[in-house]
Amino acid sequence: MCHGCVKEEYPERENMCLDNGSFLRNFAGCAECRKLEIVRIENRKCTEDENGIELVTYQHVCLCCGHIIGQHEYTFKVEGEFQVYQMECILCGNGEDERSILPVDPRGPQLM
C-alpha cells in the first residue's frame, strides 16, 4: 500500500461499501511516475468460506506504470436478521453497513 498516492489514508466512508471500483477523489496521483491517470483494478478475487462469509479482494494499480496503490477488501456476511457489509482500503476508505433481511426493519426507520 502506498501512502504517497492518496490524499487521505483510509478515509471514513460511513455506510459506503464498494465491492468494485475506486474512490478517485482520494487519489493524489501515482507516487512512482507522478501521473494522475485512471486507476486499474487487478487480481480481483471473490471467495466464500464455510461460514458463508464472502470476501472480495483486489489491487488498485497505476494505469501508467503498474505501481500498486493499495489492496481493497470487501466482506459480506449474514448475522442473525441482518446483512453486514464492510470495506477497508487505503484509497477507498473504511465503511460498514448493516441492513435487515426482513421486509420491515425491526429497529424501525433508519435516518440517513
Side-chain angles (χ1 to χ4, degrees), residues 57-93:
T57 59
Y58 56 88
Q59 294 174 322
H60 298 285
V61 178
C62 175
L63 183 65
C64 298
C65 71
H67 174 68
I68 297 173
I69 297 158
Q71 177 76 22
H72 188 102
E73 289 188 6
Y74 165 88
T75 56
F76 167 80
K77 59 187 170 186
V78 176
E79 288 183 348
E81 298 175 341
F82 296 93
Q83 296 175 329
V84 179
Y85 306 85
Q86 295 172 315
M87 173 184 75
E88 183 177 337
C89 176
I90 194 168
L91 176 64
C92 299

Side-chain angles (χ1 to χ4, degrees), residues 2-6 9 28-31 34:
C2 183
H3 307 284
C5 293
V6 296
E9 295 178 21
C30 180
R34 302 286 182 216

Side-chain angles (χ1 to χ4, degrees), residues 10-106:
Y10 300 96
E12 182 55 48
R13 299 294 302 279
E14 298 182 15
N15 65 349
M16 175 66 66
C17 296
L18 306 172
D19 66 343
N20 201 359
S22 304
F23 184 40
L24 295 178
R25 192 169 181 184
N26 191 37
F27 183 51
C30 180
E32 289 290 314
C33 70
R34 302 286 182 216
K35 293 188 179 175
L36 183 60
E37 295 291 332
I38 294 291
V39 175
R40 184 174 63 224
I41 292 173
E42 288 186 357
N43 302 317
R44 189 174 190 278
K45 296 176 186 163
C46 184
T47 59
E48 184 175 339
D49 70 9
E50 63 277 352
N51 297 320
I53 298 173
E54 295 178 28
L55 176 64
V56 177
T57 59
Y58 56 88
Q59 294 174 322
H60 298 285
V61 178
C62 175
L63 183 65
C64 298
C65 71
H67 174 68
I68 297 173
I69 297 158
Q71 177 76 22
H72 188 102
E73 289 188 6
Y74 165 88
T75 56
F76 167 80
K77 59 187 170 186
V78 176
E79 288 183 348
E81 298 175 341
F82 296 93
Q83 296 175 329
V84 179
Y85 306 85
Q86 295 172 315
M87 173 184 75
E88 183 177 337
C89 176
I90 194 168
L91 176 64
C92 299
N94 293 326
E96 188 169 341
D97 195 15
E98 187 176 88
R99 301 291 170 154
S100 174
I101 60 174
L102 302 173
V104 177
D105 193 331

